Amino acid sequence: MSSADPEVFPPTLREVMLRPWWLGMLAFALLLAAVFAWLGQWQLSSALDTAPVEPGATENVRPLDDVATPGEYLSDPLVGQKVEVTGSFVADDFVIVSSRYNDGAAGFWVTGQLRIADAAAPTSLAVAVGWTADRDEAEAAASALNDDPPQGVTLTGRIISDEGPALPRAGAPATEMSRMSPAALLGVWHDVDGLSVYRAYLTAGEPLSGLTAIHSPAPEERGGVNWLNIFYAVEWAIFAGFAFYMWYRLARDAWEKELEELEVLEESPLPTRD
């Protein structure tokens, strides 16, 4: 560069950041940060239980309709709630569920389809009516109940979330059930056309057909804070800060590249004329 050429002053980082392109990128970063901040606030509000369940509330027997709705999942605060329901069991729908533990002892549940009384439409609830450690005893109880299903009974027990279906263990019959899942039981029940079914199931407080009462203790009292949601809220806050950092880092990279190009131009020899 000759002495006659005007001196070129390199731009400052601030000058680069104030260019229209980088101001537009800053606006985009602000938009991303606002979205991340909103998501963090939503997670934080979900983490703090503003209406925690009163201690011992699950031990107050409530009508089933006040706690659960057919076809819908059971909300966490209501899992283990004691409920009362009246209905009649359906013949031939008592089924054995294996891999059930009672105070640590392995055994079997006998379960049935309870048709809810006075429901506006046909509605059923899966009920575990008792436990036994012996499969033959479980099969005998299920057979007796299928032959003479209890009618017009009022049951109390705990309402529990669906465990979800599972494949039978290796070597077990294809019909073996090892999870308490109303969805799976619906596949073997009779007369289900147009039937509404509760996703949750009931563990009866009083066993039927000489079975042992199912050990179903009160759920543990939970705190009013969900730490997992708080962790997610912190993550969203970090993402919001990262949006600003990325804008700064990209603008700085562009500035440094521009300085390097100016240095190369200054060091390059000017072409000479013949």
Side-chain angles (χ1 to χ4, degrees):
M1 183 177 293
S2 66
S3 59
D5 293 330
E7 185 176 359
V8 178
F9 294 96
T12 64
L13 178 59
R14 179 175 180 273
E15 289 173 340
V16 172
M17 288 180 172
L18 290 177
R19 289 172 182 172
W21 168 258
W22 291 109
L23 288 176
M25 292 297 291
L26 176 60
F28 180 68
L30 285 170
L31 178 62
L32 281 180
V35 172
F36 292 152
W38 177 83
L39 289 171
Q41 184 180 16
W42 174 73
Q43 287 284 4
L44 190 60
S45 64
S46 299
L48 303 176
D49 191 355
T50 57
V53 177
E54 295 181 3
T58 58
E59 304 312 288
N60 299 323
V61 179
R62 299 170 57 183
L64 175 64
D65 289 344
D66 290 352
V67 175
T69 302
E72 296 186 6
Y73 288 104
L74 189 65
S75 60
D76 284 343
L78 297 173
V79 174
Q81 175 67 47
K82 282 188 174 181
V83 298
E84 182 180 80
V85 60
T86 299
S88 298
F89 284 98
V90 178
D92 298 325
D93 281 349
F94 282 91
V95 178
I96 296 172
V97 178
S98 63
S99 300
R100 301 289 92 183
Y101 289 84
N102 234 37
D103 278 334
F108 307 86
W109 280 359
V110 177
T111 70
Q113 177 193 172
L114 182 73
R115 217 37 94 76
I116 308 299
D118 301 326
T123 305
S124 288
L125 172 70
V127 180
V129 300
W131 174 90
T132 177
D134 184 72
R135 177 181 283 274
D136 291 337
E137 185 178 343
E139 291 177 350
S143 178
L145 289 167
N146 279 326
D147 291 340
D148 186 19
Q151 302 294 297
V153 293
T154 298
L155 303 175
T156 59
R158 295 194 188 278
I159 193 75
I160 310 294
S161 296
D162 183 356
E163 296 178 359
L167 293 174
R169 68 182 187 279
T175 56
E176 177 85 8
M177 289 191 184
S178 59
R179 305 284 292 275
M180 186 61 181
S181 171
L185 290 170
L186 182 61
V188 298
W189 284 349
H190 299 84
D191 189 22
V192 297
D193 290 341
L195 184 68
S196 296
V197 179
Y198 284 90
R199 285 184 177 270
Y201 66 90
L202 184 77
T203 54
E206 296 294 332
L208 301 180
S209 193
L211 295 167
T212 301
I214 294 172
H215 179 64
S216 187
E220 294 181 2
E221 298 289 347
R222 299 181 180 181
V225 177
N226 186 323
W227 292 104
L228 181 61
N229 278 14
I230 288 181
F231 172 76
Y232 289 148
V234 171
E235 277 193 333
W236 286 120
I238 293 173
F239 291 156
F242 188 71
F244 285 108
Y245 172 76
M246 284 300 298
W247 170 79
Y248 166 78
R249 186 68 259 178
L250 291 172
R252 186 179 181 87
D253 288 347
W255 171 64
E256 291 175 348
K257 182 178 180 181
E258 191 169 333
L259 293 182
E260 291 175 359
E261 290 175 348
L262 288 174
E263 289 178 359
V264 170
L265 287 176
E266 288 178 354
E267 295 172 356
S268 299
L270 294 175
T272 57
R273 294 183 179 180
D274 296 335

